[in-house]
Amino acid sequence: MDTAAPFEASVRLGETPISLKGSASASEVQAQLDVGELALSTFAPYMADVLVPELDGRARAVLGMSWRAPQGERPMDLQVDVSSLQVDALRLGPSRRPLASLGALKLQEARIDLASRSVTVGKVLASRLQASVVRDKSGRWQAQDWARPGPAKPDSATPVPPWQVTLADVELDGGNVTLDDRWPAQPVNLAVSQIQLQLKNLQPLASKPPDMPVKLQLRLGPAQAARGEPGRLGLTGSLRLPAADSALRLKANVLAERLPLHELEPYFGDRLNLELLRADASYRGSVEAALPAAGMSLALAGQASLDDFRANTRSPAEDLLAWKSLQVRGLALAMAPGQPTRLAVEETVLSDYFARLIIDESGRINLQGLIKPAEGEAATAVATPAASALVATAPAGPPADIRFGPVSLVNGRVLFSDRFIKPNYSANLSELTGGLSAFASANNATGAPQLGDLTLRGRAEGTAALEIDGKLNPLAQPLALDIRGKVRNLELPPLSPYTVKYAGHGIERGKLSVDVAYKIEPSGQLTASNQIILNQLSFGDRVAGSEAPNLPIKLAVALLADRNGVIDINLPVSGSLNDPQFRLAPLIFRLIFNLIGKAITAPFSLIASAFGGGGPEMSQVPFGEGRPSLDAAGRERLDAVAKALVERPALQVTVVGHADLEFERAGFQRSRLDQQVLAEKRRVLARSGTPPAEGLTVSADEYPALLKEVYRRADIPKPRNAIGIARDIPQAEMEALLMAAVPVTPDALRELAVARAVAVKDYLASREMPEDRLFLGAPQLGRQGDNWRPQAELRLAPR
C-alpha cells in the first residue's frame, strides 16, 4: 500500500447510478463520486428523526474527496470538494400544499475541510422560491414546529472549535413568499413577490460577521390582488448579520415605490387614534440602521412621499384626514440611543388634502391627539401627524430636534368646527392653497417658539374668499400662534337652518365678512378679536312651528344696519386656554350705541329701498373676467333695475364701466381667444356658403378643431421639431401660447370698461328706458376695495 493503487466502482441505489473512482495508498486517498438523479424521499426515514414535514426533491452531485494521513507535526487532512450539487423540485411538506419549495438549488465550487471544520462555497443559486410564513394567534411561528428536538449533547471537557462557513456568492432568482400573521388583533396577509436577492461573502456562523454586499429587489402588497397593486422595493448596500459580538447593521441605498403602509397598520395601529384606510409610502435615498443591545439607531437621507392617504376616526367612523400626495424633500433623520432625535426637512408639499379640524372646548386641536402616548408618557401636543409619530417612536433621551423648511399646501379642503368660541362656529373651507415658512421644535435665542409665516388662500362655503395670514408653530408645546383670518362675502342663505333654530326665521339674502385674530402666548394666554360684518341681511317670515323665541328679528336687523345696510359687530375674546373668560360687555355696548345711532341718523332706512326690495348691490352689474358681454345674471339684474327705474321717471342713470389690468389679465386673454375661435367658425361657415346664425356659439365638439386652426394660422412662436416644422401640442398648451400672445394694455382695458358700459346702456334702452335718461360715465380703471369684481356701475341722479 505504499504505492497509490487506482480503483473504480459503480452501484445503483434504486434507479440512481452511482460511480466512484480514484486512487488510494496507506497515506493518501483521492476519489471522485458521481451521483445520478436521486430522490430525497429515499432518505425519508432518516430525515423524519430531525424534520417533521416531509422533504422531497431530486438531487445530482459530483463530489471529490482528498485524504492525507498525519505525519509528524502535520495533522490529518480531509477535504470534500463539491464540483456541482443540484437539487430540483425541492419541496418541504405535502406535495399538494407544500410549506416551502424551490424550483432548483445549485451549489458550485464548494469545499468542506473536515479537519479544520470549515465550509467554503463559491456560489449558491436558488430559483423559484415559494413559501408561506404563518404565525398563529399565540405568537408562535409555524416554522418553530418543523424541527424535532434532538438528544441533549453531553458536556465535553475539550472545547470543540466552531465551524466556519463562507458562502462567497448567494443568489435567489425569483421568489414568492406569503405572510399570514394571525397574532395581531387584525390578521395581516401580505405577498412578497418577484424576489431577486444577491449576497456576497455570507458567513452565518462567524462570531464577528463581516459587512457583506447585498442587492435586493421585490414587490410587496396585499395577499389578495383585489385589494390593490403591490409596491416595489430595491436595495443595494451592505449588511452585517447579528452575532454574539456584533449587532445587525444595514447600510444601503433604497428605492421604495408605493409600499402599502396600510397593510401593516395592525402592527402599529394600537398607537393611533385613527383608522388607517390607505397609505402608499415611497422613499429614495440612503438608510443606515443598527440594532445594538442599547436600542435601535437609524439614519435616513433622501426624498420620501406618502400618497393616496386616507384615515377615519374610529368612533364614530367618519372622514378625518386624506390627501393625494405628501412629498418630503431633503429628508434627514438621525436616531440613536441616548442621543437627541434629529429630523430636518428641506421642503414639504401637501396636495389635494382634506382634514376634519376641531378646536374643542378646552382650546385643543383634535389633530394633536392622533398618536397615543405610551404607558407612563405624557400626552404630546405635537399637531402634525408625522412629527407626532416621530416623537412617539423616538428612543428615550433628550428632546427631539425637529426642523422643517417651507411647507406648501395645494388645493385643500378643511371641515372646521370651533367649539372654543361661544356660540360655536363651523365652516367648510375649500381650494386652500398657501404655505408655512420654516419652523423648528427648539426655541429661538429669546426662549420663545420659532414661529413660521403662514399664508393661506381659499374659499369658505364655496362662495366666500378666505385669507389666513400670521405666524404658527405646530411643534410648539404648548401651542403658540398669531393668526389673522378674513372671509369676504360669505353667502348667508345656506346658513338658514341655524337661524331658523335659534331665531325662528330663515335668511333670504345677505353676505357675511369676518376679520378674526387669534394670538396664543406660550403661557396659554389667548387674545382674540372677531370683527363680523353683515351686508344686506334680510330675513323671511317666521317659520311655522318654530320653537325659537318670538323676537322682532326683522326690526332688530333694520336698527342694527347702517345707512348702507351693513351690520358691524366686534366680539373680543380673552382668557386662558384652561379657563377661558369671555368679555361680552363691549359687544353689548356696541349694540346699544348702534341702535341709538340708527334711530337718530337713519330712521327712514327701515322702510326705504332703492330698487323695490333690492339693495346697493343692484347698482353693480357683474361681468366675467375680461369679458364685455352681459351674462344671464347681469341681464336678470338689469331687468329688475329697469322695472324700478321705469316706475321712477325723475331719476337718470349714469353707467360707468370698470376694469382692472392685473385682476382681469387672464380673463381678458381668454375672452380674446374665444373671440378668435368664434371668428374662425364664421370663416368656415362663410367658406362653405352658410350664413352664420344670430347668436352663433362654438360647441364643445367643435372647439378642439377650431382652436387647432386658430393656432395654425397664428403668427406666434411655436414649438418645432428637429427639422423646423411646428409640431402638434396638447390643447392646453395651444391655449396657453395663444393667450400669452394677446396683448393686455391699459388702452385695451379702457376699451373693455367702455364696452361694458355700452352693453348695460343698450340693454336698459331695450327695456323701455328712454335714451335721454341714460348716460355713459368715464371708465374706471383699477380695483376699488377688497370686494371689487369686474362690473359696470349704475349711478343715480335727479333729472
Side-chain angles (χ1 to χ4, degrees), residues 20 59 115 123 152 163 219 272 328 344 379 437 443 461 471 515 527 557 566 611 621 635 659 662 729 753 766 773:
L20 177 67
K123 186 168 187 177
W163 278 89
R219 301 197 69 179
L272 302 177
V328 179
S437 67
N443 294 340
E461 300 297 340
K471 295 181 178 297
D515 284 75
T527 303
V557 169
V566 175
F611 297 109
V621 182
R635 290 191 293 271
E662 293 304 321
I729 60 175
S766 70
R773 295 175 57 191

Side-chain angles (χ1 to χ4, degrees), residues 9 26 138 215 340 348 401-402 463 486 515 527 581 684 720:
S138 66
K215 289 185 179 180
T348 304
D401 181 6
I402 304 175
T463 61
K486 295 181 181 180
D515 284 75
T527 303
Q581 299 293 326
V684 172
R720 300 181 180 276

Side-chain angles (χ1 to χ4, degrees), residues 645-652 773 797-799:
L645 292 179
V646 168
E647 298 296 324
R648 293 163 177 80
L651 293 175
Q652 64 184 19
R773 295 175 57 191
R799 295 186 64 181

